[in-house]
Amino acid sequence: MAASETSKETILRYAFGNVLSFFILVLIGVLAFSIRLFSVIKYESVIHEFDPYFNYRVTQYLTKNGIYDFWNWFDDRTWYPLGRVIGGTVYPGLTLTAGTIWWLLSSLNIPLSVETVCVFTAPIFSAFASWATYLLTKEVKGAGAGLMAAALLAMVPSYISRSVAGSYDNEAVAIFALIFTFYLYIKTLNTGSLFYATLNAIAYFYMVCSWGGYTFIINLIPMHVLLCIVTVMTSEHFASFLVFIIIHVVALVYYIKGILSPKMFKVAVTFVVSIGVVVCGAVLAVLIALVASSPTKGWSGRSLSLLDPTYASKYIPIIASVSEHQPPTWPSYFMDINVLAFLVPAGIIACFSPLSDASSFVILYIVTSVYFSGVMVRLMLVLAPAACIMSGIALSAAFDVFTRSIKFQLPGATENSERDAGETSSNSVVAQNDVAKTEKNEDAVKERPSKKNRKKEKEKENVEKPSVKSQIKKKLLILPLEASIIAIFLLVLLGAFYVVHCVWAAAEAYSAPSIVLTSHSQDGLHVFDDFREAYAWLSHNTEVDDKVASWWDYGYQTTAMANRTVIVDNNTWNNTHIATVGTAMSSPEKAAWEIFNSLDVKYVLVVFGGLVGYPSDDINKFLWMVRIGGGVFPHIKEPDYLRDGQYRIDSQATPTMLNCLMYKLSYYRFVETDGKAFDRVRRTEIGKKYFKLTHFEEVFTTHHWMVRIYKLKPPKNRIRGRAKKSKSKASSTTGTKRIGTKKKNPWH
Amino acid sequence: MASFREPPSLLLLLAVFSLALLSVSADSDSQRVSELLALQSRSKSGVIHLDDRSVSRFLTSVKTPRPYWLVVFFDATQLHDKTELHLKTLHSEFALLANSFITNNQDPESPSHGKLFFCDLEFKESQSSFGLFGVNALPHIRLIAPHQNPKESHQMDQGDFSRLAESMSEFIESKTKFVFGPIHRPPMLSSKQLIVIFLAISIWIPFAIKKIVIGETLLHDPKIWLVGSVFVYFFSVSGAMHNIIRKMPMFLADRNDPNRLIFFYQGSGMQLGAEGFAVGSLYTIVGLLLAFMTHVLVKVRNVNVQRVVMIVALFISFWAVKKVVYLDNWKTGYGIHGFWPSSWK
């Protein structure tokens, strides 16, 4: 009778634990969503940065024209005159997701704009991602670790940086898809259920639809399968599969033998075998030829730079030019995963004791992702979930040991202290631990009737046995009381530091939309809204079919906000085209005019930060224009722009630099602002202050001079003698050095 | 770059040179070329070692235009131990360049044969020649055209030997219009070594397969994997990839005080090698200690041992975290702060 009472009590406690963990998960979801709203509160509900504008534009198109038109969309507003097939070249996962949400809401008569839906997609999916983390970690090390990992993931800065409200990019949904796919994979491994395997395939498909990072999964899961086979963890399955296949082959052979005469059978065997050998040989030869014929041996540039980290910096400037492809230094880790960096090794060790299929998978995940993150800072995003899972496991294991030590050694603790402590303690950590045990047993109870398979029964026993054993053992494995109290205190302190850091990172570091900028000075807050000002000017004052040239960074924004045709954009698929624009920007005025004119460009847009001190302007990006341009058109030579190995725009600048289009368009009339032409980004006075433009005219400069728009002057339709005269005049102003080395227009 | 003080006796030496110049001017051009060819064939690397006397013989005393071009590498043995100058590497690359040029233009009929010679000068032996060229910093490579005198000859920029022999050859090609041909780098392994390695592997493979089948290799030991994964983690978080890609040195010498070494670089875009490994080990040690406490120490029977080890481990962990937080604030300059309710202030 006492036994029944205790069992009743335990059931009640398990129920209580389940409800509690449900509420904790709800709170984690709220936390994940709300920590990402700083950008909306501090700025406004606006789409951020560059790529999200493209996604936003695609989503708008989808909601307006429907899925079939979206699929067949050929965009003539970009990559003029080539255009771009959007439907076939885009990852549709994000767009379809947001489109579906919008459609669902509007069919429920909730009138939200497409922009609002796009802005809040990322925070919503962050909540989903933290729940997926809970599920994944629960499969590996129980519910306590799961809750801990989910809470950590809800506010890990690395993930926040890509998923604040307004950051409407592929990663927003892809990280959720990634974690969820991993969860379903492990669930499939643990249960062997076909249902989860099917779900896994669907989640995998969604992931592939969403993000180029799916290559990570596509390699990681087979690697894990291979590892499982090699290390003989599931060798029994493997052998059984092999036997299964062999039996069927043998049966087939006997069947055929039965229906054929012995002679015919021999002929058939030789026929099949020889055909098989020939086909295999041919396929192998073709494969080898294909791989050998490509200069990179079949690898793409980005993946090569992962394997040989020095590859990109040597050979592909367009990959090396992107700041998120740089290798991170140690402070990046502290910034992006913060104290998790300390906890991960403990998590790795916890996963090794004991090693199971699930835990070997997360080990493989952390090891590969941490290596890749060391090569490219952008892959820190893939590391973050792994770090959260590992840290969750480590923290959960640590709290488990320390709270147990306290529980058993508290003054007045009896044999039954475990139960008492669990009920009376207000410490949520203890509660979590109980929940962990609860869920494990609950699962076992729930699954019992559904298990008809004997193999599964055996597995379940395997799960249960160690837990019973470990409960007996655990009572002996304790640490000194006072040291455990200190340890718990320090761990809580560490967690508090993590929370402070994450909130700070979300509020201060990662919430700037970069389309609207602010700065604090003595006389208060300044808002720089020059980008939208410029795009609005373009959309109101230019013809619908006018072409606007700018460096590729501003392509997506120009098409989305100004609705004008651009030459290149952030989808850097055509290096030659980008190099053409780079060449134009680094050529002298006349040559640049010819290049732009041949591309039907009417307006040239440059971003200039010299007046307000905005550092990521075109002059700072200029070295990449020269490098990418010079990579395709060899008459652009980087040393011509360098003085002592540096790009300089002051009085030490080279004549080539002072005469190139980018310099002129950036600094035209700049001296009129303060009389000295002092560039606040480069912290120097510019080299050439007074000059006139011969082939371009200024049409618009924004309030803080951050965006300047120039119009190509129409070609002179005068007689030749006159043109010659003006040409000689022009060359006298631009210096004599260039005349001898007249450049050809690379576009022809 | 190292700098030299010009020898005081420079003028005197120059006077001596001009005397010597008069005396030997009778020699014909073809004689000089064959002499240079002989010197070149005598040298193992194909680089002719010059001194003050031979400089005057082949350069200053010859009437312009000379029938050949000279490329001169300025060397100083006393500076070979200064790694940041890369003199040794550059010199060996220079020798490689010379060798490749000679093998590519062996045919006496080819237009480049006997037209371009690679020479080197040593500072201690030929101080006056250094003065003659006006060289006061190393590394320094000069290309002397047939019609030029030493001071106005072309100097190779830093950028021209940044990619070693390849960029040097490009520089010379662009200035001389000689065709250089490919650079012949010696293969990493000689063919004999390759055969030995191949034999060793083919002998080893059957044993390896046997071991794998039995399941007795090191790879079957989870501890190896554990150590491996923790090491990969340590390696990555220490930013070692950054050091490899950017070729960062382990530490720098202080500009103001050369005896002091800088181990930590302020500014988050860059890090030094030693700095990365130091912080990487701080990152790793905390986790390792925590795991040690939760997985190993609990099994220890003696309570006092447990107590002492735990206190020490906690103290080290606390110190490591504090140190990293301090270093991070110092390096990045971020002021991380909490957001407290305004009524609390």
Side-chain angles (χ1 to χ4, degrees):
Chain A
M1 50 182 190
S4 75
E5 215 167 83
T6 45
S7 77
K8 220 178 191 178
E9 216 168 285
T10 45
I11 286 170
L12 209 74
R13 278 184 55 217
Y14 293 157
F16 175 71
N18 272 345
V19 170
L20 191 63
S21 64
F22 175 77
F23 277 109
I24 292 172
L25 278 176
V26 169
L27 286 178
I28 286 173
V30 171
L31 170 68
F33 183 82
S34 52
I35 201 172
R36 286 165 170 82
L37 297 185
F38 277 107
S39 60
V40 173
I41 294 163
K42 289 182 72 173
Y43 296 88
E44 58 187 295
S45 174
V46 66
I47 309 261
H48 291 191
E49 298 201 323
F50 306 105
D51 287 22
Y53 270 97
F54 170 74
N55 297 325
Y56 169 50
R57 182 161 160 258
V58 175
T59 315
Q60 265 183 326
Y61 190 89
L62 171 72
T63 51
K64 209 180 279 172
N65 297 318
I67 187 153
Y68 290 107
D69 278 352
F70 161 67
W71 211 250
N72 296 321
W73 186 17
F74 178 81
D75 186 9
D76 57 358
R77 293 256 151 210
T78 178
W79 291 97
Y80 183 83
L82 310 170
R84 178 185 170 194
V85 182
I86 299 273
T89 60
V90 80
Y91 288 106
L94 174 77
T95 326
L96 291 178
T97 309
T100 313
I101 295 175
W102 179 83
W103 173 81
L104 210 71
L105 288 173
S106 55
S107 61
L108 291 173
N109 286 329
I110 301 174
L112 285 180
S113 69
V114 179
E115 190 180 359
T116 314
V117 173
C118 292
V119 165
F120 291 101
T121 301
I124 290 170
F125 271 79
S126 315
F128 293 167
S130 46
W131 293 333
T133 311
Y134 164 75
L135 293 172
L136 170 59
T137 320
K138 193 181 132 196
E139 280 304 310
V140 181
K141 282 279 168 185
L147 287 171
M148 205 70 228
L152 293 175
L153 186 106
M155 48 187 171
V156 66
S158 168
Y159 186 28
I160 289 181
S161 73
R162 295 319 197 84
S163 63
V164 292
S167 172
Y168 179 56
D169 211 344
N170 291 333
E171 288 92 333
V173 299
I175 294 301
F176 158 71
L178 178 98
I179 301 169
F180 198 60
T181 310
F182 285 161
Y183 157 66
L184 288 169
Y185 171 69
I186 289 183
K187 187 83 184 170
T188 313
L189 262 188
N190 282 352
T191 60
S193 133
L194 199 60
F195 171 68
Y196 284 112
T198 316
L199 281 186
N200 189 12
I202 293 169
Y204 190 9
F205 177 70
Y206 181 64
M207 171 74 202
V208 174
C209 283
S210 306
W211 193 34
Y214 72 86
T215 44
F216 184 69
I217 300 190
I218 219 172
N219 290 309
L220 192 66
I221 291 182
M223 261 168 77
H224 183 244
V225 171
L226 196 71
L227 189 85
C228 287
I229 292 170
V230 168
T231 56
V232 209
M233 274 176 211
T234 52
S235 65
E236 42 198 294
H237 298 184
F238 178 64
S240 71
F241 289 146
L242 206 67
V243 167
F244 181 78
I245 292 166
I246 290 171
I247 286 172
H248 277 81
V249 168
V250 168
L252 186 75
V253 168
Y254 271 95
Y255 173 72
I256 292 170
K257 208 176 180 177
I259 60 169
L260 290 178
S261 70
K263 211 178 171 187
M264 278 296 283
F265 177 69
K266 241 181 191 173
V267 172
V269 166
T270 39
F271 181 71
V272 167
V273 168
S274 54
I275 288 274
V277 167
V278 167
V279 167
C280 282
V283 168
L284 208 69
V286 167
L287 265 181
I288 290 172
L290 273 180
V291 169
S293 66
S294 89
T296 56
K297 301 278 174 282
W299 294 86
S300 78
R302 265 184 227 183
S303 40
L304 259 183
S305 66
L306 282 183
L307 296 175
D308 171 18
T310 52
Y311 180 82
S313 58
K314 271 189 234 155
Y315 302 110
I316 324 170
I318 204 148
I319 292 185
S321 75
V322 180
S323 67
E324 56 187 23
H325 292 162
Q326 309 300 325
T329 52
W330 69 262
S332 318
Y333 284 94
F334 198 70
M335 181 68 195
D336 276 356
I337 58 173
N338 198 244
V339 303
L340 306 187
F342 294 111
L343 297 169
V344 169
I348 294 176
I349 292 171
C351 282
F352 266 100
S353 52
L355 202 57
S356 67
D357 282 355
S359 66
S360 71
F361 179 75
V362 286
I363 291 166
L364 200 65
Y365 178 22
I366 184 92
V367 169
T368 46
S369 62
V370 82
Y371 169 75
F372 290 147
S373 75
V375 180
M376 265 187 210
V377 70
R378 114 187 269 201
L379 293 175
M380 200 76 100
L381 186 62
V382 180
L383 167 69
C388 290
I389 292 165
M390 282 300 179
S391 309
I393 290 170
L395 278 180
S396 164
F399 278 131
D400 200 26
V401 169
F402 296 140
T403 48
R404 190 203 312 146
S405 313
I406 294 173
K407 223 179 339 182
F408 286 133
Q409 291 173 82
L410 274 181
T414 58
E415 273 295 297
N416 272 346
S417 62
E418 192 184 354
R419 205 178 49 202
D420 296 330
E423 272 168 5
T424 54
S425 165
S426 60
N427 190 341
S428 69
V429 178
V430 179
Q432 274 182 28
N433 270 317
D434 284 339
V435 170
K437 283 172 208 156
T438 308
E439 299 244 329
K440 233 183 237 166
N441 292 2
E442 185 88 299
D443 274 358
V445 171
K446 233 186 339 197
E447 282 172 24
R448 183 161 289 168
S450 72
K451 272 181 187 162
K452 289 164 193 163
N453 199 326
R454 220 173 79 213
K455 207 170 77 189
K456 275 188 189 169
E457 199 89 45
K458 210 178 93 191
E459 264 179 26
K460 191 207 69 192
E461 276 171 18
N462 282 344
V463 174
E464 250 182 343
K465 251 186 204 161
S467 75
V468 173
K469 238 191 230 166
S470 64
Q471 267 183 355
I472 300 165
K473 241 183 173 179
K474 264 181 188 170
K475 291 194 176 173
L476 305 171
L477 297 180
I478 48 172
L479 291 168
L481 173 68
E482 61 289 343
S484 301
I485 292 175
I486 299 173
I488 283 196
F489 174 73
L490 288 180
L491 281 181
V492 169
L493 209 65
L494 198 69
F497 182 77
Y498 178 70
V499 174
V500 168
H501 177 90
C502 292
V503 172
W504 173 83
E508 302 283 333
Y510 291 138
S511 284
S514 93
I515 191 92
V516 190
L517 306 155
T518 58
S519 86
H520 292 273
S521 64
Q522 289 100 344
D523 44 327
L525 181 77
H526 288 275
V527 178
F528 303 100
D529 204 359
D530 287 38
F531 288 106
R532 289 196 288 189
E533 188 186 346
Y535 295 131
W537 186 89
L538 274 177
S539 76
H540 288 299
N541 296 285
T542 60
E543 297 291 324
V544 176
D545 288 326
D546 283 347
K547 279 85 190 163
V548 181
S550 64
W551 190 234
W552 58 264
D553 293 24
Y554 312 104
Y556 279 165
Q557 291 182 346
T558 312
T559 42
M561 283 194 269
N563 194 21
R564 290 295 172 268
T565 309
V566 296
I567 306 300
V568 290
D569 68 22
N570 311 43
N571 178 264
T572 51
W573 64 276
N574 188 329
N575 193 23
T576 318
H577 221 49
I578 292 179
T580 308
V581 174
T583 306
M585 293 296 190
S586 27
S587 300
E589 218 176 319
K590 185 167 188 303
W593 186 90
E594 277 166 7
I595 296 172
F596 280 143
N597 194 45
S598 71
L599 288 168
D600 297 342
V601 168
K602 268 267 183 71
Y603 296 92
V604 180
L605 178 151
V606 294
V607 173
F608 170 63
L611 184 71
V612 289
Y614 171 62
S616 45
D617 65 349
D618 279 346
I619 294 283
N620 274 2
K621 289 170 185 166
F622 187 59
L623 88 148
W624 296 109
M625 301 184 202
V626 172
R627 229 170 256 181
I628 293 168
V632 177
F633 303 107
H635 70 263
I636 300 290
K637 294 193 191 67
E638 195 175 356
D640 293 348
Y641 298 84
L642 296 174
R643 178 78 74 198
D644 303 328
Q646 276 186 322
Y647 279 87
R648 302 181 69 154
I649 44 89
D650 55 6
S651 49
Q652 295 290 306
T654 61
T656 321
M657 181 78 196
L658 292 180
N659 279 316
C660 73
L661 186 70
M662 185 43 75
Y663 179 88
K664 288 195 162 183
L665 297 192
S666 291
Y667 293 116
Y668 179 60
R669 291 198 309 114
F670 183 46
V671 70
E672 292 167 24
T673 54
D674 59 354
K676 279 191 303 191
F678 183 81
D679 186 322
R680 291 208 194 166
V681 177
R682 268 66 59 177
R683 294 179 183 283
T684 173
E685 278 185 35
I686 62 172
K688 197 159 129 188
K689 297 174 186 173
Y690 302 96
F691 54 86
K692 282 201 172 120
L693 297 175
T694 53
H695 292 76
F696 294 83
E697 59 179 326
E698 185 187 7
V699 286
F700 186 66
T701 294
T702 55
H703 185 220
H704 301 98
W705 285 53
M706 279 170 62
V707 185
R708 311 194 67 186
I709 300 171
Y710 293 84
K711 191 175 182 179
L712 271 76
K713 281 187 183 166
K716 293 226 164 79
N717 59 13
R718 296 273 177 89
I719 43 166
R720 199 165 256 202
R722 185 86 180 157
K724 246 183 192 165
K725 211 173 171 186
S726 75
K727 191 179 142 197
S728 66
K729 207 175 162 192
S731 56
S732 71
T733 54
T734 53
T736 47
K737 267 205 169 171
R738 280 284 124 199
I739 299 170
T741 56
K742 199 183 145 197
K743 307 292 187 214
K744 266 190 198 158
N745 176 9
W747 188 249
H748 291 305
Chain B
M1 299 247 169
S3 54
F4 298 106
R5 223 168 263 147
E6 291 206 11
S9 57
L10 185 71
L11 279 177
L12 192 106
L13 274 170
L14 270 181
V16 173
F17 275 149
S18 46
L19 279 179
L21 192 143
L22 283 173
S23 64
V24 290
S25 61
D27 286 327
S28 74
D29 286 344
S30 60
Q31 222 177 336
R32 285 203 174 83
V33 172
S34 53
E35 223 174 290
L36 278 170
L37 280 172
L39 280 173
Q40 177 177 293
S41 60
R42 229 179 295 155
S43 143
K44 213 168 93 188
S45 59
V47 177
I48 303 163
H49 187 73
L50 295 183
D51 50 24
D52 288 343
R53 217 173 47 77
S54 42
V55 164
S56 82
R57 167 118 182 89
F58 296 116
L59 202 65
T60 39
S61 62
V62 191
K63 232 189 282 160
T64 53
R66 286 176 288 268
Y68 45 78
W69 296 64
L70 287 179
V71 190
V72 186
F73 183 91
F74 294 85
D75 198 6
T77 352
Q78 77 213 50
L79 295 173
H80 274 195
D81 54 338
K82 294 228 166 178
T83 46
E84 68 270 20
L85 293 180
H86 302 294
L87 275 183
K88 271 187 180 166
T89 0
L90 287 174
H91 193 264
S92 70
E93 286 293 316
F94 188 72
L96 198 67
L97 189 72
N99 228 331
S100 309
F101 182 77
I102 293 161
T103 39
N104 289 341
N105 298 291
Q106 259 171 348
D107 181 17
E109 298 295 303
S110 85
S112 317
H113 179 78
K115 289 276 160 48
L116 176 65
F117 293 99
F118 295 84
C119 321
D120 63 355
L121 274 171
E122 213 288 317
F123 176 65
K124 278 241 170 95
E125 294 170 16
S126 349
Q127 297 199 359
S128 57
S129 302
F130 272 64
L132 184 68
F133 283 94
V135 175
N136 47 19
L138 290 187
H140 196 110
I141 301 174
R142 250 169 201 283
L143 175 71
I144 304 127
H147 55 85
Q148 283 172 327
N149 65 27
K151 278 247 162 115
E152 66 190 16
S153 54
H154 303 290
Q155 185 197 340
M156 248 188 233
D157 281 337
Q158 194 87 41
D160 292 317
F161 44 76
S162 61
R163 279 185 301 117
L164 306 173
E166 278 77 10
S167 53
M168 291 186 202
S169 78
E170 273 167 27
F171 172 81
I172 295 171
E173 263 182 352
S174 72
K175 290 281 189 290
T176 62
K177 310 285 182 286
F178 288 141
V179 181
F180 222 95
I183 306 283
H184 303 287
R185 286 186 184 277
M188 293 250 276
L189 297 166
S190 70
S191 52
K192 266 186 196 170
Q193 282 170 314
L194 274 178
I195 291 171
V196 170
I197 289 172
F198 180 74
L199 276 179
I201 289 178
S202 48
I203 292 170
W204 175 72
I205 279 178
F207 290 101
I209 288 176
K210 193 185 158 201
K211 281 216 158 180
I212 288 171
V213 169
I214 302 173
E216 261 184 3
T217 53
L218 278 178
L219 297 182
H220 288 84
D221 187 358
K223 274 184 195 127
I224 299 289
W225 291 97
L226 172 62
V227 172
S229 16
V230 172
F231 176 75
V232 170
Y233 180 78
F234 160 75
F235 189 76
S236 301
V237 290
S238 64
M241 278 299 165
H242 174 269
N243 298 339
I244 293 171
I245 293 171
R246 293 282 146 78
K247 299 197 179 71
M248 278 303 177
M250 282 313 242
F251 46 79
L252 290 174
D254 198 332
R255 263 167 200 268
N256 307 322
D257 176 11
N259 293 326
R260 247 188 74 215
L261 296 175
I262 300 177
F263 287 98
F264 282 83
Y265 179 89
Q266 198 165 12
S268 59
M270 203 175 104
Q271 71 170 30
L272 299 173
E275 167 189 359
F277 289 122
V279 179
S281 44
L282 288 182
Y283 278 149
T284 319
I285 189 109
V286 177
L288 290 181
L289 286 174
L290 188 65
F292 177 74
M293 283 188 279
T294 48
H295 295 288
V296 180
L297 200 63
V298 282
K299 291 175 187 153
V300 174
R301 294 280 163 163
N302 190 331
V303 178
N304 279 328
V305 171
Q306 279 186 333
R307 190 166 287 138
V308 172
V309 172
M310 247 187 110
I311 297 291
V312 171
L314 287 176
F315 180 76
I316 292 175
S317 305
F318 183 74
W319 171 81
V321 174
K322 220 181 134 214
K323 197 79 198 160
V324 171
V325 172
Y326 163 77
L327 281 172
D328 183 65
N329 285 341
W330 171 79
K331 193 175 171 74
T332 58
Y334 292 142
I336 296 165
H337 55 85
F339 292 85
W340 310 113
S342 43
S343 60
W344 287 14
K345 281 177 187 170

